[in-house]
Amino acid sequence: MQRSWPILAGSLLLALCAEPALAFCGFYVAKADTKLFNRASQVAIVRDGDRTVMTMSNDFQGDPTEFAMVIPVPTVVKREQIAVSEKALLDHLDAYSSPRLVEYHDPDPCQREVYEGLRALGYLRAPASPKMRDERQKSLGVTIEARYTVGEYDILILSATQSGGLETWLRENGYRIPRGASEVLGSYIRQQMRFFVARVNLKEQARLGFTYLRPLQVAYESPRFMLPIRLGTVNADGPQELFVFTLTRQGRVESTNYRTVRLPSDVDVPTYVKHEFGPFYKAMFAEQVRREDMSVVFTEYAWDMAWCDPCAADPLSAGELRRLGVWWVEGDTTAGANVFLTRLHVRYDGDHFPQDLVFQQTGDRQNFQGRYVMHHPWTGEAACSEGDAYRRAVSARMEREAQNLAHLTGWSLEKVRRRAGLAPPPHAQQVTPAQRSWWDRLWDW
Amino acid sequence: MPLTRDPRLYQIACLAGLLAYGVTALGFEVGPAQILMTLGTALLAQAACGFASGATRFDPRSALISGLSLCLLLRTDSLPLVALAAFVAVASKFVLRVRGKHVFNPTNFGLVAMILVSDRVWASAGQWGTGGFFAFLMACLGGLVAHRAWRSDVAWAFLASHVSFLLGRTAYLGDPLEIPLHSLQSGALLLFTFFMISDPRTTPDARPARVAFGVLVAAGAYYVQFRLFRTNGMLWSLFCLSPLVPLLDRLLPGDRYHWPASVAGATSGGTVDATLVADPGRLAAPGAVR
C-alpha cells in the first residue's frame, strides 16, 4: 500500500456561529475558523525555556491507510514523550482565537445624549521478515531509534546517515516520497535531526473506535524553536495553509526569519458581511497575502488566555490547557497562570518560504485580535433636527464601510456598493449647475 | 571643514530615513512616544555625562545615532525601559572605557544589556522582511562611498565571513542557494554591518586587528545562531567580543579614530583634546589622543 506523504487535503466546511453573544465592545456575531481553508494544518506549540510540547493536526479526510506523516524533530523522543490528543482541544483553540465579527446598533439619534456620546466616540464612521528488514535498513544507513504504538498510531523515530538511504527506506516501506525530498531530508540529517514517522494502526483505530485522526502530541526539550515546513513544500500542488497557535508564558511569538505582520483589524464593514463572514475572511486573507507578496507570517490573535473580549468562544479551561501541554498551569483556574496565546497564519510555498519557520518569544503582552465591526443604522423614526445630520453621517459611514471592504478584500467597489444597497457615489449623481466647480464647466463647449 | 564631511550626518539622515520607512511601510511598532523618549533621553544623557566629565561643548550627533539605532532595533511596551536603554547606551560611552576609548558600541550595549535584565525588551530581527532590501543596501553602500570607507574594512571582513559561513553551511547541508540568499536579504544584517560593527570609535585601531575582529564577530554570530540556536546572534556576538578590542589594540597598536572636528568631550567623555582630521578616511595623528 502506497501512502501519500505528507498529506494535507480536506473538505471545506463553513461553520458560522449565528448565535449572538453579548460582550463589552459590541455583540459578537460570527467567527471565521480554520475549517474555511483547504489543505490546512494546525499546530499548537507550548513553549517555555527550551521545553516544547507540539500538538499537530491536519484536515486529512481520506482513507486512514493512506495517511502518513513525517516530521523532522530536533531530538530523539521516548515513548512517554508522545501522546495522542483530542481534536476538540485544537478546535476550541481555533474558535477562541478566530477573527470575529461584532455588531453595534445605532441608537435613536433623537436621544441627544446618546447621539452626542456616539459622535464623541467617533462612531458616526511491502512486508518482509524482521531480520531482512533490519539488515536492509542498516545497509541504507537508517536506524529505527524507537518504535511505539500510541493510540491509533504506529510511530517510528528514525535517524539516518544519508538522505538517499532514508528516501529508499521510506519508499520501500510504502511511503510515497515526492521527487526532490531527498535534498531536504539530507539537510535535516546533517542538522542531526530525527524523523518522527507516524501512520495509522488500523487494528488499534478499530479497537478505539475513532473515525477520524486525532492530533499527535510530542514533548521535547530543545533550544530550537522552529517549525519544519520545507518537506511540505516539495512538489506541493500550490500553496498550503498553516495555523500555528503558540502558548507561552512571557508574551507574543513572532518569526525571526520572516516578517510578522498583523492582519488588518478593527475595521468597519457593511452589515451584509454578517451573512458571508467566511468568504469575507478568506478573500481578505488572500488579498493581504497578495499585497505582502506571500512572504510574511500573519498574526491573527495575541491575547492573555485568562480572558477575551469579545469572546468568539469561551477561554480554555485549566484542564484543557494542561492537556495541550501547558505544564505550568496548576489547579482549576487559569487566572494568573500567564498563558499568552499567539495565533499565526501562514500561506506558504517553496518559492516564497525557502527556510523553515524560526520563532522567538517576545515580551509583548499587548492584546490583538482580528475584529471587524458592523454598525446597524437606526431604522426608527427620527423626525428631529438631529435626524437629518444623523442620516447624512450614516450615508457617509456606509460609503466608508463599502470602501473599507473593497480595500480589504480586493472586491470591486461597485459590487460592494450594490450589495450594501448604496447609491452610486456622489460624483456620479446629478448635480445642479450651481454645485459644479468652475473646472467642471471648463470643457463644456 | 565642510559639515557634510562628517560621516555621522549621513548616518543620521540614513537612520532617520530607515526609521520613517520602517514605521510607515513596514509597520514597526515604534510610536512617537517611544521615538521621542529614546532620542530625548539619549541627548540628555549625552549632555549630562558630557558635563560631568568636563566637556565644554555639547555635540548631539553620536547620541542621535545611538538613539535612532535604538528606535530601529529595540522593542518594548514600556517607556521607562526605553528611557533606561537610551541612558545605558549613552552612559556606557563615558563609563566603560579602556585607555580613553569606549569598549562597547553604545547601541549594542544598551540593547543587549536591556535584553539581559528585562524579559520585556526584545529585538525583532525579522521585521525588515526582504521587500526594500536593495534600496536599503544602496543607502548603506552610499554611505561608504560618500565617506571613502571610514574604517569599512571591519564591515567588509564581517560581511565576507558571514557570507562564507552561510554558504559553507549551505554546501554542507546540501541546501538550495535560496536559503542563504533569503537569510542575507535582511535589513537587520545591513544595519548591523554598516551602522554597528563598523562604528569607527569602538573597532580596533589597526587594520589587521579590525579584519580579525570582523571575522571573529561573524564566527560568534554563526555559533549563537546555528549551535546555540538563539536569536540575535550578531548582537550577542559583538557584545561578547567587544572586550577583546582593548586587547587587540594592545597587541596590534594603531592610530585612534576621531570624528572629524571632534571636540573635547563631545563623544569621548572629555578626556581627549580637540583633534581635527582633514579626511574622515584618514586617521588622526598617532599620539594625539594618548
Side-chain angles (χ1 to χ4, degrees):
Chain A
M1 173 75 58
Q2 289 273 296
R3 291 172 174 87
S4 54
W5 164 95
I7 306 157
L8 298 166
S11 67
L12 189 136
L13 284 171
L14 175 62
L16 287 182
C17 175
E19 192 80 11
L22 180 61
F24 170 69
C25 46
F27 291 85
Y28 158 71
V29 286
K31 67 173 181 289
D33 59 25
T34 61
K35 294 189 184 74
L36 289 163
F37 294 90
N38 274 320
R39 301 150 57 83
S41 300
Q42 292 173 310
V43 182
I45 307 175
V46 175
R47 171 111 179 159
D48 189 47
D50 287 349
R51 290 187 188 177
T52 309
V53 183
M54 205 185 270
T55 309
M56 298 160 287
S57 167
N58 65 53
D59 60 0
F60 180 73
Q61 305 274 322
D63 180 351
T65 57
E66 294 277 326
F67 175 83
M69 186 160 70
V70 179
I71 304 157
V73 283
T75 58
V76 175
V77 281
K78 295 183 191 148
R79 166 67 188 85
E80 305 78 55
Q81 290 171 262
I82 306 170
V84 177
S85 186
E86 306 145 53
K87 186 84 176 83
L89 286 175
L90 284 173
D91 288 346
H92 192 172
L93 209 50
D94 175 19
Y96 170 76
S97 60
S98 302
R100 69 271 338 262
L101 183 66
V102 295
E103 67 180 354
Y104 295 89
H105 290 269
D106 287 353
D108 181 353
C110 294
Q111 290 179 337
R112 183 171 271 277
E113 317 79 59
V114 179
Y115 176 78
E116 292 300 327
L118 278 175
R119 197 160 63 179
L121 285 168
Y123 281 132
L124 295 180
R125 35 183 194 105
S129 75
K131 194 178 168 211
M132 275 167 65
R133 258 200 324 249
D134 287 354
E135 278 169 11
R136 179 69 181 142
Q137 83 202 26
K138 221 177 270 173
S139 74
L140 292 169
V142 176
T143 311
I144 298 178
E145 305 250 5
R147 188 196 299 267
Y148 318 114
T149 299
V150 183
E152 64 269 41
Y153 294 100
D154 281 334
I155 288 159
L156 299 174
I157 307 295
L158 301 177
S159 66
T161 52
Q162 47 182 342
S163 58
L166 178 61
E167 193 181 348
T168 308
W169 187 91
L170 286 166
R171 274 189 213 288
E172 286 181 358
N173 284 272
Y175 296 89
R176 201 183 300 151
I177 304 297
R179 245 179 257 268
S182 182
E183 274 182 10
V184 183
L185 291 172
S187 177
Y188 288 129
I189 290 170
R190 291 213 165 90
Q191 289 177 57
Q192 294 174 345
M193 292 181 80
R194 307 302 200 278
F195 297 90
F196 181 101
V197 182
R199 56 195 192 194
V200 178
N201 181 322
L202 292 173
K203 236 190 250 173
E204 284 299 310
Q205 194 191 26
R207 190 179 68 76
L208 293 165
F210 288 104
T211 54
Y212 58 92
L213 294 175
R214 293 182 295 166
L216 269 166
Q217 206 163 37
V218 193
Y220 59 84
E221 210 161 324
S222 165
R224 304 186 74 164
F225 188 10
M226 52 89 78
L227 202 58
I229 58 169
R230 287 177 60 198
L231 278 171
T233 61
V234 179
N235 265 15
D237 179 20
Q240 302 188 51
E241 216 74 36
L242 171 68
F243 292 88
V244 183
F245 306 93
T246 61
L247 297 108
T248 48
R249 223 194 290 226
Q250 198 177 305
R252 183 176 62 82
V253 167
E254 64 180 22
S255 168
T256 60
N257 54 347
Y258 295 96
R259 242 177 96 215
T260 309
V261 172
R262 286 178 172 177
L263 202 65
S265 179
D266 284 326
V267 185
D268 291 350
V269 292
T271 50
Y272 82 85
V273 168
K274 182 176 184 173
H275 306 291
E276 41 195 86
F277 189 52
F280 157 75
Y281 170 48
K282 278 180 71 178
M284 175 187 61
F285 189 74
E287 177 65 11
Q288 303 309 315
V289 167
R290 189 190 64 75
R291 275 192 205 148
E292 298 287 358
D293 193 29
M294 207 204 265
S295 53
V296 305
V297 175
F298 286 95
T299 306
E300 291 189 335
Y301 194 76
W303 210 276
D304 186 321
M305 288 205 73
W307 64 295
C308 47
D309 183 19
C311 293
D314 289 335
L316 275 71
S317 69
E320 284 177 304
L321 288 173
R322 267 196 300 275
R323 292 207 295 284
L324 273 169
V326 189
W327 66 88
W328 64 87
V329 170
E330 286 168 358
D332 296 331
T333 172
T334 56
N338 264 355
V339 187
F340 198 88
L341 172 67
T342 310
R343 170 184 167 124
L344 301 170
H345 185 174
V346 196
R347 182 167 294 171
Y348 66 98
D349 64 18
D351 289 341
H352 298 89
F353 283 80
Q355 303 190 67
D356 287 327
L357 289 166
V358 182
F359 301 111
Q360 74 171 353
Q361 189 181 177
T362 72
D364 185 9
R365 293 190 72 87
Q366 272 185 71
N367 292 324
F368 169 79
Q369 57 183 341
R371 177 172 172 273
Y372 308 91
V373 186
M374 299 181 306
H375 297 281
H376 295 279
W378 170 256
T379 49
E381 200 181 335
C384 56
S385 60
E386 285 85 356
D388 292 336
Y390 169 76
R391 276 185 288 273
R392 277 196 300 277
V394 165
S395 298
R397 185 181 74 194
M398 287 171 76
E399 176 60 26
R400 267 199 313 277
E401 290 168 348
Q403 286 176 7
N404 288 346
L405 183 59
H407 181 71
L408 280 179
T409 57
W411 288 342
S412 128
L413 181 57
E414 284 316 305
K415 211 171 127 191
V416 170
R417 277 207 190 98
R418 266 202 308 278
R419 292 291 319 273
L422 283 173
H427 65 265
Q429 289 176 7
Q430 288 296 320
V431 284
T432 63
Q435 287 174 312
R436 297 180 73 197
S437 306
W438 62 270
W439 55 80
D440 287 330
R441 296 192 298 270
L442 195 58
W443 292 285
D444 274 357
W445 46 277
Chain B
M1 171 172 307
L3 205 59
T4 50
R5 301 306 296 274
D6 186 342
R8 286 174 296 175
L9 296 176
Y10 183 85
Q11 283 197 359
I12 290 168
C14 201
L15 291 169
L18 286 172
L19 183 60
Y21 170 67
V23 171
T24 54
L26 298 177
F28 284 8
E29 288 176 14
V30 194
Q34 182 173 340
I35 295 173
L36 286 175
M37 181 64 97
T38 312
L39 298 182
T41 313
L43 291 171
L44 273 177
Q46 177 75 35
C49 294
F51 178 74
S53 55
T56 52
R57 225 182 83 180
F58 170 65
D59 184 344
R61 287 171 287 192
S62 289
L64 266 180
I65 291 175
S66 304
L68 285 166
S69 303
L70 280 175
C71 291
L72 285 169
L73 292 164
L74 183 135
R75 296 288 168 269
T76 180
D77 53 6
S78 153
L79 279 180
L81 288 175
V82 166
L84 188 61
F87 176 78
V88 166
V90 173
S92 76
K93 287 194 298 186
F94 294 86
V95 177
L96 302 169
R97 305 173 68 86
V98 175
R99 293 195 298 278
K101 177 175 170 180
H102 52 265
V103 179
F104 294 94
N105 167 270
T107 311
N108 180 249
F109 184 83
L111 187 57
V112 175
M114 294 313 292
I115 291 176
L116 271 175
V117 300
S118 168
D119 57 10
R120 291 175 66 191
V121 174
W122 70 99
S124 287
Q127 67 181 353
W128 296 97
T130 52
F133 174 75
F134 289 101
F136 196 152
L137 181 64
M138 287 305 119
C140 295
L141 291 180
L144 288 194
V145 174
H147 296 288
R148 271 180 277 172
W150 32 273
R151 298 205 168 187
S152 61
D153 42 14
V154 66
W156 294 119
F158 167 78
L159 202 57
S161 319
H162 183 75
V163 171
S164 313
F165 293 150
L166 279 186
L167 290 179
R169 181 173 192 269
T170 303
Y172 171 70
L173 296 179
D175 281 342
L177 265 181
E178 283 82 14
I179 291 184
L181 286 179
H182 183 264
S183 304
L184 290 171
Q185 285 177 47
S186 147
L189 171 66
L190 293 180
L191 197 64
F192 180 81
T193 308
F194 294 104
F195 292 93
M196 196 176 279
I197 191 176
S198 52
D199 171 8
R201 295 282 293 151
T202 52
T203 46
D205 293 335
R207 171 157 288 180
R210 284 199 296 275
V211 171
F213 185 66
V215 177
L216 273 175
V217 172
Y222 183 90
Y223 181 77
V224 173
Q225 188 177 353
F226 296 113
R227 286 284 172 270
L228 302 178
F229 300 108
R230 303 293 173 195
T231 50
N232 305 316
M234 291 179 284
L235 297 175
W236 284 105
S237 177
L238 180 62
F239 180 81
C240 294
L241 292 170
S242 286
L244 275 185
V245 174
L247 193 69
L248 285 169
D249 281 344
R250 175 152 286 207
L251 292 173
L252 297 163
D255 300 324
R256 182 77 49 91
Y257 181 86
H258 286 281
W259 296 117
S262 157
V263 172
T267 59
S268 51
T271 57
V272 186
D273 290 327
T275 310
L276 293 174
V277 183
D279 182 334
R282 277 185 51 205
L283 306 171
V289 293
R290 298 197 177 101

